[in-house]
Amino acid sequence: MLPGFLYGYYERRLQRGLTPESIPGHIGVMVDGNRRWARQFNAPSAQGHRAGADKIHEFLGWCRELDVRVVTLYMLSTDNMNRSSEELSELTEIIAETLDRLDDDPNVSVHAMGAPELLPDHLAERLARLTAKPSPSEPLHVNVAVGYGGRREIVDAVRDLLRDALARGEDIAALAERLDVDDISRFLYTAGQPDPDLVIRTSGEQRLSGFLMWQSAYSEFYFCEALWPAFRKVDFLRALRDYAGRQRRFGS
């Protein structure tokens, strides 16, 4: 392991190699590995989740420093709702505390993504309040995916599209004939936002697990071995360096 002063030098060297044009505008992050990190220290899962929450705020600081404009955090999936009631209660309380810290940050605007009806009332209320908060000028925009599932998002988008068409008196058969990608995109949780340029997943897992399934069609992916609480700025800069060296093809 490198001494701290060498890591500092390496960080600065990596950061100097990045140009403003090479920085992704929208980064999606799958914050994975909190429980495994805790198990390494024979600690309870809650300790891992708290360490992961602290890492989120540290990570957002790095993003502000590098002028990343949009970050989407995969914090709680619909599959996670099947965990034990004790762990789920601890996890949702930690997420609520994280949201309170974001609420105190004047340079961050927050948008909730997911199914609030699946969440405890106290957490759903915090998400609704944050989403309604006026956005500061030129903020870091943070999407928090809580109670989120990618398939559910697409179903919700189609459902809202059909409701909108019916409300306008449009014939559903005519809608089916003219339907295109943009029609559905307008009703996604991230409607009006750019698709992610880069999606990072920590913990060594190499799958999407339903994260931004529609929006990530042309995203670049970076899989990191580090567990989320152990994710360092060096790891982030390596991901950005890797992204900067790729030639994006957008399906061609």
Side-chain angles (χ1 to χ4, degrees):
M1 185 175 250
L2 290 174
F5 75 93
L6 285 181
Y7 265 121
Y9 170 77
Y10 185 38
E11 279 183 9
R12 293 189 294 273
R13 181 178 176 185
L14 284 171
Q15 193 160 336
R16 283 196 301 268
L18 298 170
T19 64
E21 297 76 21
S22 69
I23 301 297
H26 181 177
I27 298 177
V29 187
M30 307 177 72
V31 294
D32 193 19
N34 293 339
R35 293 194 296 176
R36 274 173 279 173
W37 181 87
R39 282 199 295 268
Q40 290 180 346
F41 303 98
N42 294 317
S45 295
Q47 186 170 326
H49 293 314
R50 289 194 180 280
D54 290 338
K55 183 61 63 174
I56 283 173
H57 297 286
E58 186 178 7
F59 176 78
L60 294 179
W62 303 337
C63 289
R64 280 196 293 266
E65 181 183 346
L66 291 163
D67 202 28
V68 176
R69 306 303 307 202
V70 182
V71 173
T72 299
L73 300 167
Y74 201 7
M75 297 176 68
L76 181 69
S77 73
T78 50
D79 292 335
N80 293 152
M81 305 301 291
N82 295 323
R83 293 182 180 178
S84 71
S85 58
E86 180 182 0
E87 181 180 357
L88 194 57
S89 176
E90 292 173 337
L91 179 53
T92 56
E93 185 57 40
I94 291 167
I95 291 173
E97 292 169 3
T98 301
L99 297 176
D100 287 342
R101 289 177 65 181
L102 292 175
D103 194 18
D104 291 336
D105 191 334
N107 298 310
V108 170
S109 62
V110 178
H111 174 71
M113 297 169 48
E117 66 272 18
L118 299 179
L119 304 174
D121 290 342
H122 72 93
L123 184 54
E125 289 166 3
R126 277 179 169 89
L127 288 166
R129 186 178 69 244
L130 273 174
T131 298
K133 180 181 175 182
S135 298
S137 60
E138 298 189 340
L140 171 64
H141 184 84
V142 180
N143 298 310
V144 287
V146 181
Y148 173 87
R151 290 178 174 176
R152 183 184 180 115
E153 178 182 18
I154 295 170
V155 169
D156 284 348
V158 173
R159 184 181 291 120
D160 288 343
L161 170 66
L162 293 174
R163 287 172 177 160
D164 179 72
L166 288 170
R168 291 183 291 100
E170 183 172 0
D171 180 72
I172 298 301
L175 172 63
E177 289 300 318
R178 69 160 181 83
L179 188 67
D180 63 18
V181 168
D182 291 337
D183 289 321
I184 294 176
S185 293
R186 287 191 300 111
F187 291 92
L188 295 172
Y189 300 154
T190 56
Q193 300 182 32
D195 290 338
D197 302 295
L198 173 65
V199 175
I200 298 171
R201 180 166 190 166
T202 56
S203 85
E205 303 292 345
Q206 299 189 24
R207 59 182 184 275
L208 277 181
S209 298
F211 184 48
L212 300 177
M213 294 171 62
W214 182 282
Q215 298 92 327
S216 65
Y218 299 116
S219 302
E220 298 294 325
F221 296 91
Y222 185 85
F223 300 103
C224 178
E225 291 294 325
L227 302 174
W228 175 247
F231 189 69
R232 304 160 301 175
K233 188 177 182 182
V234 162
D235 299 313
F236 182 45
L237 293 172
R238 285 171 175 163
L240 297 182
R241 179 184 63 183
D242 186 83
Y243 169 84
R246 300 185 190 182
Q247 182 179 358
R248 301 190 69 190
R249 299 185 182 276
F250 300 95
S252 63

